[in-house]
Amino acid sequence: MHIQIAGKLTGRITKWIVLAAVIVVTMLLAPLAGKLTSVQNNEAESWLPESAESTQAIKELEAFQDPNDLVTTIVYYKESGLTEEDLAEIESHGPEIAEIEGVSNVITPQTAEEQGIPAPYVSEDGQVAKLDFTINRGDELWEDMPGVRDDVSELASIDGVEVYVAGAGGTTADQAAAFAGMDGRLLLITLCAVILILLVSYRSPVLWALPIFCAVVSLGIAMGLLYLLAKYADMTINGQTQFIMTVLVIGAGTDYALLLVARYREELRRHEDRHEAMAFALHRAAPAIFASASTVVVGLLCLMFAELNSTAGLGPANAVAVAVTFVVMVTLLPALLVICGRWVFWPFIPRFGSDEPTESGFWARTGNRIAPRPRVVWIFTTIALLIVALGALRLDTSGIPNDETYVAGQEVESVDGNAILVEHGLVDASSPVQVVANTDQAEAVVESMAGIEGIQEPAIVAEEDGTSLILANLTADPLDQASIEAVHEVRDAVHSVEGADALVGGWTAVTIDVEEASARDNKVVIPIMLLAVMLILMGLLRALASPLILIGTVILSFAAALGISGVVFDLVFDRPNTDPGFPLYAFVFLVALGIDYNIFLMTRVREETVGNGTRRGSLIALASTGGVITAAGIVLAATFGALATMPLTFALQIGTTIALGVLLDTMIVRSVLVTAINLDLGGKIWWPSALDRKPPVVPPKDPEREQVSEAASV
């Protein structure tokens, strides 16, 4: 059945039908890809778990403030001290800034004094002053903030005075500017890296274009489909989901293409008719590609068990993208290859009857070196990886401080401005501690907060329908450890007031809830994903021992990747702190993608075991798949490594870790560790299957090949 389907998909007539069908789907969905950004949801509430205290606080705060209100701070700094003329000019900026669309509640040093605001607006040393305002542009705020910042900077300029747009508004402006055009740049960098690798791998000036074209088609269809799902089915898409999807589709799609093309090239040496050769190649390679894609899809869907909405939302969207990529790569790519013919491999065209070069290549020699002492090899390799994994102790997953949000050496206006405020004893009023409580207990809540180190004197600022809003400015950066400890103390204090039903929100509270949800997700999602991948491997290999071995090697590879990352983040990047969700993201992608190479290898081992036994089959499989898997690993490492070109620390870290982990899987775990274990244990790896319990029997005829030949002629 599978053989007949494989043959008919690439027959003399059906190849054109497949091509036409994919073109129609692409024409319908690809034009919608550009609209995906318009349905992104990057609001804090969309990232938080529904049960989090800060989520509940955000809902209660809607009675007091528009959720689109964004407090922005202009920081004025002059090393020699601000003069009276400078301060007078700052005052003149207030009315001008108030004229900007969406701006309200402008507070200058003078108006702060008139209103009796306790927080100082001019530093004691006279070097720094600030001006606050609130801006609201509705749903367009994210896109508009870089432009607003530029307008504000122009209006607030003073000769001899450094001006920074900081606070929550400045931070949003810098983040929006960093993401602006990022998808296009990331796609271009990724494609350039992959094209270069394919040129070296294929040694053909033509062949690389087909996998790249199919990968781009996959991305266009996936993004168009996700736009429809986000718009009409309430699927959550955010900026993080979209930029990860870009590298995932290009990387995974190219991997699938490499495996299929390599098998097709093998079959072209055995079959004179290219349709017949593709039928065999697709029949042999498709199960491994399907298992690989299924592993990634299932792994991503396991993220739906995460409590953190940003993590849970990442899974379904990228799972859809990978599923689309699989379908395109096993339909469009085979059709294009047989349409083009053998010449697409020029100048190294695989001729019918020519020798298979992998039989004496680098990976064949590697297997022969492992074979004499496989047990020594796998034990030594395991110990080495465990030692490397110790570097993970240098990782700090408590969160990325505000001044480390961007990569080292990146000058960021809001970060610099916030640092100046803290250094000169001024507070960032844009991110206060926000407490909502029942009005009849509001005074008691205020009293409970008195004296807590790290916050200024709390005050009741509003009352609505029996609920009061209490604000307290932080004395340090909102993401500083001192602020985090202060908010923990505030929560303990206000929760102890009976009948207050107090909820604590604000930027720092959100950070705390994200960290706690991430810790919970690590404990829940990782075991679920391991079980799901284990079941897929058991179904594919029809054994228990080999799936357990493969899971163990991938976990070891993940630990080693974290170990190397811990050292690199600290000593090379000067960014030892990571996002609370970093370990889970790294695990999901490394396990889901890293297991691919073991799937590619072990499906070939199983295929060869039938006629050659496990030990001989392992060597043949390593020799046959070594080159293509190495190329696939380098491609995937390069695509995720492209994330390191982004200015955000999180993107740099996740891209680096996945790239390192994939290279470890490709070069060491799959080629050395797994092969050595296979050679050491032999047929025991297939337990409880009966495979390799008897001497191999080679049938005189292969009826499958006859069926494929008939199907390929359709």
PDB file of all heavy atoms in Angstrom, residues 310-336:
ATOM      1  N   SER A 310       2.571  32.222  27.114  1.00  0.00           N
ATOM      2  CA  SER A 310       3.532  32.445  26.036  1.00  0.00           C
ATOM      3  C   SER A 310       4.173  31.138  25.600  1.00  0.00           C
ATOM      4  O   SER A 310       4.465  30.929  24.416  1.00  0.00           O
ATOM      5  CB  SER A 310       4.609  33.428  26.481  1.00  0.00           C
ATOM      6  OG  SER A 310       5.278  32.957  27.635  1.00  0.00           O
ATOM      7  N   THR A 311       4.398  30.228  26.545  1.00  0.00           N
ATOM      8  CA  THR A 311       4.964  28.922  26.219  1.00  0.00           C
ATOM      9  C   THR A 311       3.921  28.024  25.579  1.00  0.00           C
ATOM     10  O   THR A 311       4.179  27.355  24.574  1.00  0.00           O
ATOM     11  CB  THR A 311       5.524  28.251  27.492  1.00  0.00           C
ATOM     12  OG1 THR A 311       6.504  29.104  28.086  1.00  0.00           O
ATOM     13  CG2 THR A 311       6.148  26.915  27.168  1.00  0.00           C
ATOM     14  N   ALA A 312       2.728  28.009  26.160  1.00  0.00           N
ATOM     15  CA  ALA A 312       1.656  27.167  25.629  1.00  0.00           C
ATOM     16  C   ALA A 312       1.283  27.579  24.209  1.00  0.00           C
ATOM     17  O   ALA A 312       0.990  26.741  23.357  1.00  0.00           O
ATOM     18  CB  ALA A 312       0.432  27.253  26.537  1.00  0.00           C
ATOM     19  N   GLY A 313       1.301  28.898  23.936  1.00  0.00           N
ATOM     20  CA  GLY A 313       0.943  29.378  22.609  1.00  0.00           C
ATOM     21  C   GLY A 313       2.003  29.096  21.566  1.00  0.00           C
ATOM     22  O   GLY A 313       1.710  29.039  20.363  1.00  0.00           O
ATOM     23  N   LEU A 314       3.247  28.914  22.010  1.00  0.00           N
ATOM     24  CA  LEU A 314       4.334  28.638  21.079  1.00  0.00           C
ATOM     25  C   LEU A 314       4.156  27.290  20.395  1.00  0.00           C
ATOM     26  O   LEU A 314       4.510  27.124  19.220  1.00  0.00           O
ATOM     27  CB  LEU A 314       5.667  28.660  21.841  1.00  0.00           C
ATOM     28  CG  LEU A 314       6.935  28.370  21.046  1.00  0.00           C
ATOM     29  CD1 LEU A 314       7.275  29.551  20.158  1.00  0.00           C
ATOM     30  CD2 LEU A 314       8.096  28.083  22.007  1.00  0.00           C
ATOM     31  N   GLY A 315       3.577  26.321  21.118  1.00  0.00           N
ATOM     32  CA  GLY A 315       3.494  24.959  20.610  1.00  0.00           C
ATOM     33  C   GLY A 315       2.592  24.757  19.414  1.00  0.00           C
ATOM     34  O   GLY A 315       3.051  24.329  18.339  1.00  0.00           O
ATOM     35  N   PRO A 316       1.284  25.043  19.533  1.00  0.00           N
ATOM     36  CA  PRO A 316       0.367  24.752  18.422  1.00  0.00           C
ATOM     37  C   PRO A 316       0.746  25.451  17.125  1.00  0.00           C
ATOM     38  O   PRO A 316       0.684  24.850  16.053  1.00  0.00           O
ATOM     39  CB  PRO A 316      -0.979  25.259  18.959  1.00  0.00           C
ATOM     40  CG  PRO A 316      -0.851  25.212  20.438  1.00  0.00           C
ATOM     41  CD  PRO A 316       0.573  25.526  20.726  1.00  0.00           C
ATOM     42  N   ALA A 317       1.132  26.708  17.207  1.00  0.00           N
ATOM     43  CA  ALA A 317       1.459  27.456  15.988  1.00  0.00           C
ATOM     44  C   ALA A 317       2.643  26.829  15.262  1.00  0.00           C
ATOM     45  O   ALA A 317       2.605  26.611  14.037  1.00  0.00           O
ATOM     46  CB  ALA A 317       1.760  28.912  16.335  1.00  0.00           C
ATOM     47  N   ASN A 318       3.694  26.523  15.981  1.00  0.00           N
ATOM     48  CA  ASN A 318       4.867  25.928  15.343  1.00  0.00           C
ATOM     49  C   ASN A 318       4.631  24.480  14.941  1.00  0.00           C
ATOM     50  O   ASN A 318       5.244  23.984  13.987  1.00  0.00           O
ATOM     51  CB  ASN A 318       6.076  26.043  16.269  1.00  0.00           C
ATOM     52  CG  ASN A 318       6.696  27.433  16.237  1.00  0.00           C
ATOM     53  OD1 ASN A 318       7.320  27.825  15.273  1.00  0.00           O
ATOM     54  ND2 ASN A 318       6.489  28.191  17.303  1.00  0.00           N
ATOM     55  N   ALA A 319       3.744  23.788  15.667  1.00  0.00           N
ATOM     56  CA  ALA A 319       3.381  22.421  15.267  1.00  0.00           C
ATOM     57  C   ALA A 319       2.690  22.434  13.913  1.00  0.00           C
ATOM     58  O   ALA A 319       2.960  21.587  13.047  1.00  0.00           O
ATOM     59  CB  ALA A 319       2.487  21.788  16.325  1.00  0.00           C
ATOM     60  N   VAL A 320       1.791  23.387  13.713  1.00  0.00           N
ATOM     61  CA  VAL A 320       1.126  23.531  12.415  1.00  0.00           C
ATOM     62  C   VAL A 320       2.161  23.806  11.325  1.00  0.00           C
ATOM     63  O   VAL A 320       2.106  23.236  10.226  1.00  0.00           O
ATOM     64  CB  VAL A 320       0.086  24.671  12.464  1.00  0.00           C
ATOM     65  CG1 VAL A 320      -0.418  25.012  11.061  1.00  0.00           C
ATOM     66  CG2 VAL A 320      -1.085  24.280  13.356  1.00  0.00           C
ATOM     67  N   ALA A 321       3.118  24.677  11.622  1.00  0.00           N
ATOM     68  CA  ALA A 321       4.139  25.032  10.638  1.00  0.00           C
ATOM     69  C   ALA A 321       4.981  23.823  10.241  1.00  0.00           C
ATOM     70  O   ALA A 321       5.290  23.620   9.057  1.00  0.00           O
ATOM     71  CB  ALA A 321       5.028  26.142  11.195  1.00  0.00           C
ATOM     72  N   VAL A 322       5.361  22.998  11.211  1.00  0.00           N
ATOM     73  CA  VAL A 322       6.174  21.810  10.919  1.00  0.00           C
ATOM     74  C   VAL A 322       5.357  20.787  10.125  1.00  0.00           C
ATOM     75  O   VAL A 322       5.874  20.145   9.197  1.00  0.00           O
ATOM     76  CB  VAL A 322       6.712  21.188  12.219  1.00  0.00           C
ATOM     77  CG1 VAL A 322       7.377  19.835  11.949  1.00  0.00           C
ATOM     78  CG2 VAL A 322       7.709  22.129  12.882  1.00  0.00           C
ATOM     79  N   ALA A 323       4.084  20.619  10.473  1.00  0.00           N
ATOM     80  CA  ALA A 323       3.227  19.696   9.731  1.00  0.00           C
ATOM     81  C   ALA A 323       3.102  20.119   8.273  1.00  0.00           C
ATOM     82  O   ALA A 323       3.174  19.289   7.357  1.00  0.00           O
ATOM     83  CB  ALA A 323       1.848  19.616  10.386  1.00  0.00           C
ATOM     84  N   VAL A 324       2.923  21.405   8.040  1.00  0.00           N
ATOM     85  CA  VAL A 324       2.853  21.923   6.668  1.00  0.00           C
ATOM     86  C   VAL A 324       4.167  21.656   5.936  1.00  0.00           C
ATOM     87  O   VAL A 324       4.180  21.230   4.771  1.00  0.00           O
ATOM     88  CB  VAL A 324       2.546  23.437   6.678  1.00  0.00           C
ATOM     89  CG1 VAL A 324       2.758  24.039   5.293  1.00  0.00           C
ATOM     90  CG2 VAL A 324       1.119  23.689   7.149  1.00  0.00           C
ATOM     91  N   THR A 325       5.285  21.873   6.628  1.00  0.00           N
ATOM     92  CA  THR A 325       6.596  21.655   6.024  1.00  0.00           C
ATOM     93  C   THR A 325       6.782  20.206   5.605  1.00  0.00           C
ATOM     94  O   THR A 325       7.299  19.919   4.512  1.00  0.00           O
ATOM     95  CB  THR A 325       7.703  22.057   7.018  1.00  0.00           C
ATOM     96  OG1 THR A 325       7.508  23.421   7.415  1.00  0.00           O
ATOM     97  CG2 THR A 325       9.077  21.904   6.405  1.00  0.00           C
ATOM     98  N   PHE A 326       6.355  19.278   6.442  1.00  0.00           N
ATOM     99  CA  PHE A 326       6.456  17.851   6.108  1.00  0.00           C
ATOM    100  C   PHE A 326       5.683  17.533   4.834  1.00  0.00           C
ATOM    101  O   PHE A 326       6.188  16.872   3.919  1.00  0.00           O
ATOM    102  CB  PHE A 326       5.931  17.003   7.267  1.00  0.00           C
ATOM    103  CG  PHE A 326       5.638  15.578   6.878  1.00  0.00           C
ATOM    104  CD1 PHE A 326       6.671  14.669   6.678  1.00  0.00           C
ATOM    105  CD2 PHE A 326       4.332  15.150   6.690  1.00  0.00           C
ATOM    106  CE1 PHE A 326       6.402  13.361   6.294  1.00  0.00           C
ATOM    107  CE2 PHE A 326       4.052  13.855   6.310  1.00  0.00           C
ATOM    108  CZ  PHE A 326       5.095  12.952   6.109  1.00  0.00           C
ATOM    109  N   VAL A 327       4.448  18.020   4.770  1.00  0.00           N
ATOM    110  CA  VAL A 327       3.605  17.723   3.611  1.00  0.00           C
ATOM    111  C   VAL A 327       4.229  18.270   2.332  1.00  0.00           C
ATOM    112  O   VAL A 327       4.270  17.587   1.294  1.00  0.00           O
ATOM    113  CB  VAL A 327       2.185  18.295   3.811  1.00  0.00           C
ATOM    114  CG1 VAL A 327       1.361  18.137   2.529  1.00  0.00           C
ATOM    115  CG2 VAL A 327       1.488  17.601   4.971  1.00  0.00           C
ATOM    116  N   VAL A 328       4.730  19.488   2.392  1.00  0.00           N
ATOM    117  CA  VAL A 328       5.342  20.095   1.201  1.00  0.00           C
ATOM    118  C   VAL A 328       6.582  19.317   0.774  1.00  0.00           C
ATOM    119  O   VAL A 328       6.803  19.063  -0.424  1.00  0.00           O
ATOM    120  CB  VAL A 328       5.691  21.571   1.470  1.00  0.00           C
ATOM    121  CG1 VAL A 328       6.520  22.148   0.315  1.00  0.00           C
ATOM    122  CG2 VAL A 328       4.422  22.397   1.661  1.00  0.00           C
ATOM    123  N   MET A 329       7.398  18.904   1.743  1.00  0.00           N
ATOM    124  CA  MET A 329       8.660  18.244   1.417  1.00  0.00           C
ATOM    125  C   MET A 329       8.488  16.831   0.871  1.00  0.00           C
ATOM    126  O   MET A 329       9.388  16.316   0.204  1.00  0.00           O
ATOM    127  CB  MET A 329       9.568  18.221   2.657  1.00  0.00           C
ATOM    128  CG  MET A 329      10.139  19.588   2.999  1.00  0.00           C
ATOM    129  SD  MET A 329      11.147  20.248   1.640  1.00  0.00           S
ATOM    130  CE  MET A 329      11.480  21.900   2.236  1.00  0.00           C
ATOM    131  N   VAL A 330       7.370  16.176   1.145  1.00  0.00           N
ATOM    132  CA  VAL A 330       7.163  14.825   0.604  1.00  0.00           C
ATOM    133  C   VAL A 330       6.206  14.838  -0.591  1.00  0.00           C
ATOM    134  O   VAL A 330       5.834  13.778  -1.088  1.00  0.00           O
ATOM    135  CB  VAL A 330       6.646  13.843   1.681  1.00  0.00           C
ATOM    136  CG1 VAL A 330       7.672  13.665   2.772  1.00  0.00           C
ATOM    137  CG2 VAL A 330       5.309  14.297   2.255  1.00  0.00           C
ATOM    138  N   THR A 331       5.809  16.029  -1.034  1.00  0.00           N
ATOM    139  CA  THR A 331       4.961  16.131  -2.226  1.00  0.00           C
ATOM    140  C   THR A 331       5.616  17.007  -3.283  1.00  0.00           C
ATOM    141  O   THR A 331       5.967  16.554  -4.370  1.00  0.00           O
ATOM    142  CB  THR A 331       3.569  16.694  -1.871  1.00  0.00           C
ATOM    143  OG1 THR A 331       3.724  17.955  -1.184  1.00  0.00           O
ATOM    144  CG2 THR A 331       2.802  15.729  -0.989  1.00  0.00           C
ATOM    145  N   LEU A 332       5.812  18.278  -2.952  1.00  0.00           N
ATOM    146  CA  LEU A 332       6.357  19.212  -3.933  1.00  0.00           C
ATOM    147  C   LEU A 332       7.798  18.886  -4.304  1.00  0.00           C
ATOM    148  O   LEU A 332       8.150  18.879  -5.493  1.00  0.00           O
ATOM    149  CB  LEU A 332       6.264  20.646  -3.389  1.00  0.00           C
ATOM    150  CG  LEU A 332       6.831  21.741  -4.296  1.00  0.00           C
ATOM    151  CD1 LEU A 332       6.096  21.778  -5.624  1.00  0.00           C
ATOM    152  CD2 LEU A 332       6.768  23.095  -3.602  1.00  0.00           C
ATOM    153  N   LEU A 333       8.647  18.629  -3.318  1.00  0.00           N
ATOM    154  CA  LEU A 333      10.062  18.382  -3.614  1.00  0.00           C
ATOM    155  C   LEU A 333      10.262  17.145  -4.494  1.00  0.00           C
ATOM    156  O   LEU A 333      10.987  17.222  -5.498  1.00  0.00           O
ATOM    157  CB  LEU A 333      10.860  18.264  -2.316  1.00  0.00           C
ATOM    158  CG  LEU A 333      12.356  18.000  -2.497  1.00  0.00           C
ATOM    159  CD1 LEU A 333      13.008  19.115  -3.297  1.00  0.00           C
ATOM    160  CD2 LEU A 333      13.051  17.851  -1.138  1.00  0.00           C
ATOM    161  N   PRO A 334       9.649  15.989  -4.164  1.00  0.00           N
ATOM    162  CA  PRO A 334       9.803  14.828  -5.059  1.00  0.00           C
ATOM    163  C   PRO A 334       9.310  15.118  -6.477  1.00  0.00           C
ATOM    164  O   PRO A 334       9.940  14.696  -7.452  1.00  0.00           O
ATOM    165  CB  PRO A 334       8.961  13.746  -4.383  1.00  0.00           C
ATOM    166  CG  PRO A 334       8.895  14.142  -2.962  1.00  0.00           C
ATOM    167  CD  PRO A 334       8.879  15.636  -2.955  1.00  0.00           C
ATOM    168  N   ALA A 335       8.194  15.830  -6.580  1.00  0.00           N
ATOM    169  CA  ALA A 335       7.659  16.153  -7.908  1.00  0.00           C
ATOM    170  C   ALA A 335       8.653  17.005  -8.697  1.00  0.00           C
ATOM    171  O   ALA A 335       8.913  16.746  -9.884  1.00  0.00           O
ATOM    172  CB  ALA A 335       6.320  16.872  -7.771  1.00  0.00           C
ATOM    173  N   LEU A 336       9.235  18.023  -8.059  1.00  0.00           N
ATOM    174  CA  LEU A 336      10.190  18.890  -8.748  1.00  0.00           C
ATOM    175  C   LEU A 336      11.452  18.128  -9.149  1.00  0.00           C
ATOM    176  O   LEU A 336      12.014  18.364 -10.231  1.00  0.00           O
ATOM    177  CB  LEU A 336      10.560  20.072  -7.856  1.00  0.00           C
ATOM    178  CG  LEU A 336       9.460  21.112  -7.606  1.00  0.00           C
ATOM    179  CD1 LEU A 336       9.936  22.156  -6.607  1.00  0.00           C
ATOM    180  CD2 LEU A 336       9.046  21.783  -8.914  1.00  0.00           C
TER     181      LEU A 336
END
